[in-house]
Amino acid sequence: MVELSIDEKYALEVEKSERDHHKPTAAAMLGHVLANIFYEKIRLKQAGQYAKKASYCAEFRKIALKEDGWFDEISDALLNENELVPTTLDEFVTYHKFIETDPKAKYWSDEALLESFIRDFQSQNLFITRAIKLAQKEEKYALEVVIRELYGYNLAIIRYFAGELGKTVAEFMEEEDDD
């Protein structure tokens, strides 16, 4: 067996990533999910430092830590399936989608932060549900189980944030539909 150089290994990785994104795969969708989790963790940490209400500071920080756990769990599930995992800042910048990135968010009201996190977690679930369907199609059942757990977790976070705003999930979704 011929030993590949580091440059050759990386070139093969980039080639596979391009292929996966042109013909969507569960791994490609999860690349977006991981990039979104990476960005969301940063947003939650910022909110954990700048939220006006002390209990929100603690809650945002707690959820940011949980995002790290999900990142590792999904990464491990992908590696178990012999798939690639985004690990560079360039990959996270390229693959993150529909996550709020306004650097001025630290000046927002707590309510505005909660609403933006609801939108972000709903956006994440768009990629997650697509990844679940692709994992089923590709018969990657262990991967599917992990992704389903993340989907349920995100729904619980959305419900919690909606509750903090004095709304139900349905009410928030109705507002989204009206926009």
Side-chain angles (χ1 to χ4, degrees), residues 6-113:
I6 289 173
D7 288 338
E8 290 168 330
K9 289 177 185 176
Y10 186 69
L12 288 174
E13 181 181 320
V14 170
E15 184 180 312
K16 181 179 180 342
S17 179
E18 288 293 321
R19 254 193 336 268
D20 285 353
H21 280 86
H22 284 95
K23 182 183 175 199
T25 63
M29 280 306 125
L30 289 172
H32 292 296
V33 170
L34 289 172
N36 284 344
I37 289 172
F38 180 85
Y39 267 77
E40 199 66 58
K41 182 187 78 175
I42 293 169
R43 288 201 66 230
L44 286 160
K45 287 177 101 41
Q46 182 190 53
Q49 293 165 334
Y50 286 96
K52 312 311 177 270
K53 192 173 172 184
S55 63
Y56 286 149
C57 288
E59 194 63 32
F60 291 147
R61 289 176 181 175
K62 186 173 118 188
I63 296 169
L65 287 175
K66 189 77 175 162
E67 292 292 286
D68 262 343
W70 283 114
F71 187 94
D72 290 340
E73 196 166 337
I74 292 170
S75 294
D76 285 342
L78 281 167
L79 293 169
N80 291 344
E81 295 282 358
N82 197 32
E83 294 290 350
L84 297 171
V85 175
T87 55
T88 67
L89 191 54
D90 284 345
E91 290 170 317
F92 296 134
V93 169
T94 301
Y95 298 142
H96 92 280
K97 303 286 181 206
F98 312 127
I99 299 296
E100 179 60 56
T101 58
D102 187 343
K104 295 174 288 204
K106 64 184 175 185
Y107 301 114
W108 294 358
S109 68
D110 289 347
E111 292 75 21
L113 286 170

Side-chain angles (χ1 to χ4, degrees), residues 26 29-30 127-137 144 147-149 151:
M29 280 306 125
L30 289 172
F127 290 96
I128 292 168
T129 54
R130 187 114 193 259
I132 290 169
K133 291 173 187 168
L134 289 166
Q136 289 170 338
K137 184 178 169 187
E144 180 190 345
I147 309 166
R148 284 181 179 272
E149 289 176 16
Y151 178 74

